[in-house]
Amino acid sequence: MKHNKISTGTLVALGLSIQSLYAVAETGTDNITEVKDHSHISHNHSHAAKDKIAEGMCGSGMRMDLDGMVMHENIDNLPKDCKQISEEISIQVKAGVKYSEPYPGTVFGLDSHSWHAKPCARITIEFKNEDEIRHQWMLHGLPRYLYPGGMFHIEANGLTTKTGTFIVPSSHYTYLVHCDIAQHMEKGMKAQFVIGKGRKDLSSIPGLTEAKFADSYPNKSSTAISTFRSENIE
Amino acid sequence: MSKSRLFCFFILLLCLSNTSSALFQPPTTTETYLGKVEDFCPKKHINSWRQQQQIEGVDIAASPVCSPDNPYNIAAFVKGTNNVSMATLMNTHLAPDTLIKGKDLDGDGDPDEIHIRLEVLELNGFSPDLADPVTTYNIAPGIQPGFWTFVPKHRGMSNKSAETLVANPLIRLPSPAIRVEQGDKVFITLENSHYFPHTIHLHGVDHSFQTTKGEGNDGVPQTSNKLIMPGKQFTYEITPRQPGTMVYHCHVQAHTHIMMGLIGMFIVEENRANNWVQTFNVGNGFVRHSSKAVAKKYDREYDLQYQDIDRELHNIIQTANDSRLLAKAFNRDYNITERTPDYFILNGRSFPFTLRESLIIVKPEEKIKLRVFNAGDQLLALHTHGFKPTSTHLDGVELKPSARIQRDVFTLGPAQRVDLELYAHNDGLHNMGAGIWTFHDHNELGVTTDGIYPGGHISSIVFESFLGENGMPKLQGVDPTPFFTAEFYKKQYPVWTLSDDKKHYGDVFIATDESLPAEDSETTDETQMLILLAQIIVLIGTVILVKRNTGNSHEA
């Protein structure tokens, strides 16, 4: 008769995988841009009648006016894994076509594509839109029990500034930040917010990381386009 | 006959019998299965939206099709986003400043200062992070050409939600039909949220060459306006004196930008008292809140925009991300003189999706107004089964009664419009009785999708008595299931597959629950056995004859 012995190694591996599953569940989707078309999933966040449009805009945690809106703001609700706020951070983020100039081939931009804070930080973003059209500063991957859909969203109309605050949990993570208007992220408005040590860098961030599906350029030696990447990365 | 000749004859017969059995071996029809079949009407479409209803005092007609317009959108488009409650606005994706309706300048009970805000957004574009297009919009099962479209300025994500890449329902083809009232002071602000420059030209709409500030108002880069660059906005001003079905479109690199989808209907309604018009008709089709003038004469009104699509042009945005590569591909590499259209859409969809949205619903004796617009590059030859409509306006200009034409094929060149009156009066001329009456382009390209029929512009005029649950017509023709698969339009299924139980026409057949292959192989084996038997008989006969011959040669 054979006995099935569970080795110590297997137990450790099992324990670690359960741990990481828990962590992922807490922090939500790893990187929203990896989502394939799951159109059969309906993200129905409506509280009331079926008549309502579902998008997580339930009326709670949203303020909207003629300048724009802030959704899922969280000023003082501590994530359950934070004993206290570790630091207060205020960041001004400027958005607009003019910030795409250092990155040839992009059209829209941000004055910075990367920010950093400690775990359990309270972060206030002053989002200054210098274009005449609307733009967004949208962060993905927050815990869904605190932020519907795992998102914190600032939207500013042209030439307006909107400010919003959120608190991050204790995990070391790299959150996706982008403008979610069609093709704004792809054309330059992608960034990341690194909490603590962060995790893996996200792809296609101007000046920071490579694309997964990079463009191919003709006549690499003869035109100015050929040298753009090396000259213009900050 | 000599014995040797007889001998040769039998050998020949043997050979022939062998060769003739090889001719009866064509390949058998192999079995396959239908791929993913979409529902005729996906469950997401909300039944309560189909009812006749009143929201914030706005009368909204019933729309019994599979995919009705969001009635909250209609209320906001009629009253203005500044005149509806936050609760109503929260049931839409609209922003508070999407549509601002101001003062009643002539005191007739409806606002005459209208401020419309439009954006330009891209569908089915490239992503450097994903293998598939983003902000998706299908014109037919599995078909996602790239598009640019004018959209009412709104709020929130371009995707329906964070869990999907499907575009939010405001972002679609065609660019929405816009309605204003004759005499209104209208400001149209284009907020260019796209990565290419654009303008708006108001085609046929009464407008001055310059705005009150002296800026260009015609939208043409060569003569009147600078390009509206990404991130910038510009406001056009009009006070249209004449009513009619007109057009608006981008005039930058017009040969490609128009074809990409930056074209829509612009309708100036006749001035009447208390005439709050439905400023946007997103997705065109049925107008759920008609103007006073139209509602007086007609029971229902439909906006119909036709367009043809060259796949090569629309694929460009799916090949690269760098705006410089895309600009060169559009402006210098693409050659419109070599254009061949592949897809044909009515109100932004091809068959069978046209059946979800663009059915013309009618009851006996009703009069229906159709505003038909050819936004494409090909001639449109619109044919209606079961009806002979009458033209009432050409390019928005009313025809005198003696000039009106009643016929069953109306031709429209590019950018032309015709207003038609469809009268469900069963006299064999106006109408031939109740039914499901197909209407389609009789230019045969227009009824195909990538060369496959049925496809293209096909839709139907459906009498209410022939309309079933969830807006599905009570079809009595062939089983339409294969049309709702991507594989059908990738040419993987024989077209007559579900009608072909005798397997006369397909290289493959769609397996059903009934058993089929076993029977077939039996029949084949039988024939082969008979041939084999015949061969054996001939061989035995030859052997006997040969033996007799050798025997005889020894006789004295």
Side-chain angles (χ1 to χ4, degrees), chain A residues 105 183 187 215, chain B residues 122 126 148 195-196 315-333:
Chain A
Q183 288 294 311
K187 297 296 181 279
D215 289 326
Chain B
E122 180 167 298
F126 186 82
W148 299 332
Y195 55 80
F196 274 175
N315 278 355
I316 293 175
I317 58 169
Q318 297 171 348
T319 57
N321 194 35
D322 189 314
S323 53
R324 300 166 298 175
L325 294 174
L326 292 171
K328 179 165 186 286
F330 271 98
N331 304 341
R332 289 185 275 165
D333 296 338

Side-chain angles (χ1 to χ4, degrees), chain A residues 29 32-43 50-55 57-59 62 64-66 69 71 97 104-108 130-136 138 140 144 149 151 153 155 157-158 180-187 190 203-204 210-218 224-225 228, chain B residues 46 48-49 53 70 72 86-87 89-97 100 119 121-132 134-136 144 153-166 168-169 171 190-196 230-234 317 319-326:
Chain A
T29 330
I32 234 57
T33 54
E34 308 307 315
V35 172
K36 294 286 178 184
D37 183 5
H38 288 149
S39 50
H40 61 279
I41 298 169
S42 69
H43 173 61
K50 284 178 283 180
D51 287 353
K52 294 205 171 174
I53 293 285
E55 203 192 307
M57 294 199 254
C58 324
M62 151 129 112
M64 183 165 82
D65 55 32
L66 282 169
M69 63 177 184
M71 276 169 54
V97 167
T106 66
V107 173
F108 302 106
E130 297 184 0
D131 274 343
E132 295 172 10
I133 62 169
R134 66 183 172 115
H135 281 305
Q136 300 162 346
M138 198 171 179
H140 286 269
R144 281 166 193 253
M151 301 186 289
H153 177 113
E155 186 157 335
N157 274 340
D180 209 333
I181 297 171
Q183 288 294 311
H184 281 210
M185 174 172 75
E186 290 78 7
K187 297 296 181 279
K190 188 174 183 183
S203 56
S204 311
E210 290 296 316
K212 285 191 180 156
F213 299 90
D215 289 326
S216 57
Y217 295 87
I225 290 176
F228 84 101
Chain B
I46 301 166
S48 60
W49 283 10
Q53 53 201 284
N70 175 352
Y72 296 94
M86 188 54 72
L89 206 62
M90 284 296 106
N91 278 308
T92 72
H93 284 99
L94 304 173
D97 62 344
I100 302 216
E119 299 178 323
L121 292 172
E122 180 167 298
L123 291 163
N124 299 326
F126 186 82
S127 165
D129 295 319
L130 297 171
D132 297 320
V134 290
T135 322
T136 61
Q144 301 177 325
K153 183 221 164 146
H154 54 283
R155 63 174 205 269
M157 301 184 277
S158 290
N159 295 347
K160 259 168 74 169
S161 76
E163 274 82 34
T164 178
L165 293 172
V166 176
N168 94 44
I171 310 174
L190 176 61
E191 297 193 9
N192 188 2
S193 45
H194 191 239
Y195 55 80
F196 274 175
K232 296 277 186 234
Q233 60 171 253
F234 184 83
I317 58 169
T319 57
N321 194 35
D322 189 314
S323 53
R324 300 166 298 175
L325 294 174
L326 292 171

Side-chain angles (χ1 to χ4, degrees), chain B residues 319-396:
Chain B
T319 57
N321 194 35
D322 189 314
S323 53
R324 300 166 298 175
L325 294 174
L326 292 171
K328 179 165 186 286
F330 271 98
N331 304 341
R332 289 185 275 165
D333 296 338
Y334 177 72
N335 188 349
I336 197 172
T337 62
E338 290 165 11
R339 179 183 198 263
T340 50
D342 305 286
Y343 307 128
F344 302 85
I345 53 178
L346 162 60
N347 293 339
R349 308 276 193 195
S350 289
F351 177 89
F353 289 173
T354 44
L355 302 184
R356 288 175 179 164
E357 302 180 351
S358 294
L359 295 180
I360 295 175
I361 310 292
V362 70
K363 281 205 304 250
E365 298 306 316
E366 277 188 343
K367 275 204 178 126
I368 314 282
K369 184 173 181 75
L370 304 179
R371 296 181 198 262
V372 187
F373 170 38
N374 182 5
D377 212 42
Q378 298 278 108
L379 186 78
L380 175 73
L382 182 62
H383 170 55
T384 51
H385 291 212
F387 285 85
K388 288 194 209 288
T390 305
S391 58
T392 58
H393 298 69
L394 288 180
D395 291 351

Side-chain angles (χ1 to χ4, degrees), chain B residues 119-384:
Chain B
E119 299 178 323
V120 176
L121 292 172
E122 180 167 298
L123 291 163
N124 299 326
F126 186 82
S127 165
D129 295 319
L130 297 171
D132 297 320
V134 290
T135 322
T136 61
Y137 173 80
N138 287 25
I139 61 169
I143 301 187
Q144 301 177 325
F147 291 114
W148 299 332
T149 183
F150 289 112
V151 188
K153 183 221 164 146
H154 54 283
R155 63 174 205 269
M157 301 184 277
S158 290
N159 295 347
K160 259 168 74 169
S161 76
E163 274 82 34
T164 178
L165 293 172
V166 176
N168 94 44
L170 275 179
I171 310 174
R172 58 165 295 159
L173 279 223
S175 293
I178 294 177
R179 278 175 165 75
V180 300
E181 201 192 15
Q182 189 182 8
D184 279 353
K185 274 191 79 156
V186 185
F187 300 88
I188 303 152
T189 298
L190 176 61
E191 297 193 9
N192 188 2
S193 45
H194 191 239
Y195 55 80
F196 274 175
H198 299 292
T199 59
I200 294 181
H201 166 65
L202 293 155
H203 171 135
V205 184
D206 175 28
H207 64 283
S208 53
F209 184 67
Q210 291 170 319
T211 65
T212 46
K213 290 185 210 141
E215 290 169 317
N217 206 24
D218 198 37
V220 181
Q222 288 72 37
T223 52
S224 73
N225 283 82
K226 300 274 189 278
L227 306 179
I228 305 171
M229 299 304 285
K232 296 277 186 234
Q233 60 171 253
F234 184 83
T235 302
Y236 299 90
E237 299 169 10
I238 58 169
T239 305
R241 293 166 286 181
Q242 302 293 337
T245 309
M246 309 302 177
V247 179
Y248 68 106
H249 62 82
C250 177
H251 222 294
V252 176
Q253 293 292 299
H255 69 302
T256 49
H257 289 211
I258 289 178
M259 293 290 106
M260 283 294 284
L262 292 174
I263 183 164
M265 295 165 77
F266 197 103
I267 296 151
V268 183
E269 297 279 7
E270 291 172 39
N271 191 312
R272 293 283 187 278
N274 286 311
N275 191 22
W276 295 65
V277 299
Q278 182 188 325
T279 308
F280 288 108
N281 188 9
V282 173
N284 283 17
F286 182 49
V287 182
R288 294 190 78 173
H289 182 94
S290 280
S291 68
K292 285 280 186 292
V294 170
K296 198 163 177 202
K297 284 191 197 156
Y298 296 99
D299 298 288
R300 301 186 220 227
E301 181 185 5
Y302 292 84
D303 299 331
L304 305 175
Q305 177 163 326
Y306 287 86
Q307 196 162 343
D308 49 280
I309 287 162
D310 172 19
R311 187 179 36 199
E312 238 187 78
L313 174 72
H314 294 254
N315 278 355
I316 293 175
I317 58 169
Q318 297 171 348
T319 57
N321 194 35
D322 189 314
S323 53
R324 300 166 298 175
L325 294 174
L326 292 171
K328 179 165 186 286
F330 271 98
N331 304 341
R332 289 185 275 165
D333 296 338
Y334 177 72
N335 188 349
I336 197 172
T337 62
E338 290 165 11
R339 179 183 198 263
T340 50
D342 305 286
Y343 307 128
F344 302 85
I345 53 178
L346 162 60
N347 293 339
R349 308 276 193 195
S350 289
F351 177 89
F353 289 173
T354 44
L355 302 184
R356 288 175 179 164
E357 302 180 351
S358 294
L359 295 180
I360 295 175
I361 310 292
V362 70
K363 281 205 304 250
E365 298 306 316
E366 277 188 343
K367 275 204 178 126
I368 314 282
K369 184 173 181 75
L370 304 179
R371 296 181 198 262
V372 187
F373 170 38
N374 182 5
D377 212 42
Q378 298 278 108
L379 186 78
L380 175 73
L382 182 62
H383 170 55
T384 51

